[in-house]
């Protein structure tokens, strides 16, 4: 019996749906970056599973790196305070960068990361996000690759956590309110 499953009120995207969508996104990236060697920057920790599946759906030469920023702590609402906990190691000057993020809620984290990456003088910066919560945005944002849109609910699994739990669920689901109230 999997204890985590009991805390999920509804499965939004199962393993097959996630893999099928990532395959499509990989094909788009292959086409858009033909002849280039992009740097894929995964945002830790939430993006780690998405990143590992995404890079395997891309058939171009590429480099990977990671950034870690502080986000929610153990709560479920955005603090707006962004702190870099792990910086990029690869020089990004004149490189084509794709930022890979788990979910855009208020949009404050991704906006900060994007502005920060541009300071390294890359040739281009695009964003690839697993989940978008359009109703929660606090800033005007456009994304280049989006796997799925979700409503204003707290979701976990496939890398996304609540209080560091549930990252290892193979699907994306809505966490029961009683689990965080
Ligand atoms: P933002 O700065 O408000 O867009 O927050 C983005 C970050 O908050 C994401 O990278 C996640 O780590 C976290 N987050 C936002 N919404 C959720 C959610 O529904 N489940 C789990 N983490 C979330
Ligand atoms: Mg995150």
């Amino acid at each position: 019996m999997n204890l985590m499953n009991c805390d999920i009120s509804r499965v939004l995207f199962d393993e097959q749906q996630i893999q099928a969508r990532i395959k499509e996104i990989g094909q788009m990236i292959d086409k858009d970056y033909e002849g280039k060697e992009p740097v894929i920057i995964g945002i830790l920790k939430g993006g780690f599973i998405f990143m590992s599946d995404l890079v395997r759906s891309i058939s171009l030469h590429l480099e990977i790196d990671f950034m870690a920023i502080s986000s929610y702590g153990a709560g479920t609402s955005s603090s707006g305070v962004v702190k870099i906990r792990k910086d990029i190691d690869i020089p990004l000057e004149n490189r084509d960068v794709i930022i890979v993020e788990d979910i855009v809620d208020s949009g404050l984290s991704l906006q900060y990361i994007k502005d920060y990456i541009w300071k390294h003088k890359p040739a281009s910066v695009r964003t690839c996000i697993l989940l978008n919560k359009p109703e929660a945005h606090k800033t005007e944002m456009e994304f280049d690759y989006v796997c799925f849109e979700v409503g204003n609910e707290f979701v976990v699994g496939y890398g996304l956590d609540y209080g560091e739990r549930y990252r290892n669920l193979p699907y994306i689901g809505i966490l029961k309110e009683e689990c965080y109230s």
Side-chain angles (χ1 to χ4, degrees):
M1 162 98 164
N2 185 328
L3 284 175
M4 289 184 291
N5 290 337
C6 308
D7 295 344
I8 302 302
S9 61
R10 192 155 55 92
V11 175
L12 291 178
F13 307 105
D14 66 23
E15 289 180 74
Q16 284 75 21
Q17 288 171 299
I18 296 170
Q19 291 309 321
R21 183 66 183 137
I22 289 179
K23 220 169 157 188
E24 288 176 356
I25 302 274
Q27 284 166 357
M28 289 181 213
I29 292 177
D30 276 348
K31 202 164 143 256
D32 294 348
Y33 288 83
E34 203 185 332
K36 294 181 175 159
E37 190 164 337
V39 181
I40 318 287
I41 298 181
I43 310 303
L44 297 171
K45 298 176 198 174
F48 83 111
I49 297 182
F50 176 41
M51 172 85 167
S52 72
D53 282 336
L54 179 73
V55 293
R56 285 178 288 177
S57 76
I58 300 171
S59 50
L60 303 166
H61 285 297
L62 54 80
E63 285 183 60
I64 67 161
D65 204 347
F66 293 95
M67 256 185 97
I69 59 157
S70 66
S71 67
Y72 284 8
T76 60
S77 67
S78 186
S79 63
V81 180
V82 177
K83 190 169 175 236
I84 295 174
R85 301 199 177 274
K86 188 233 165 273
D87 210 339
I88 308 147
D89 296 313
I90 298 178
L92 298 181
E93 200 167 335
N94 294 320
R95 302 298 305 267
D96 296 294
V97 175
I98 304 175
I99 303 167
V100 176
E101 171 71 304
D102 55 354
I103 185 165
V104 175
D105 190 58
S106 69
L108 298 174
S109 309
L110 190 57
Q111 189 59 60
Y112 178 89
I113 293 164
K114 223 177 154 183
D115 293 345
Y116 180 77
I117 301 271
W118 270 118
K119 289 187 187 144
H120 290 76
K121 302 194 173 24
S124 67
V125 179
R126 284 188 179 178
T127 48
C128 177
I129 64 176
L130 175 65
L131 300 170
N132 184 23
K133 269 190 200 176
E135 294 162 37
H137 291 187
K138 285 189 184 145
T139 163
E140 271 300 289
M141 289 202 87
E142 279 184 29
F143 315 104
D144 301 286
Y145 310 98
V146 178
C147 287
F148 305 106
E149 297 212 328
V150 292
N152 215 349
E153 287 150 316
F154 201 79
V155 297
V156 294
Y158 195 71
L160 289 105
D161 75 309
Y162 173 67
E164 294 301 327
R165 282 182 165 178
Y166 309 104
R167 294 194 196 276
N168 54 326
L169 276 177
Y171 56 84
I172 297 162
I174 299 176
L175 188 63
K176 285 183 184 166
E177 268 184 46
E178 66 213 49
C179 296
Y180 58 85
S181 55

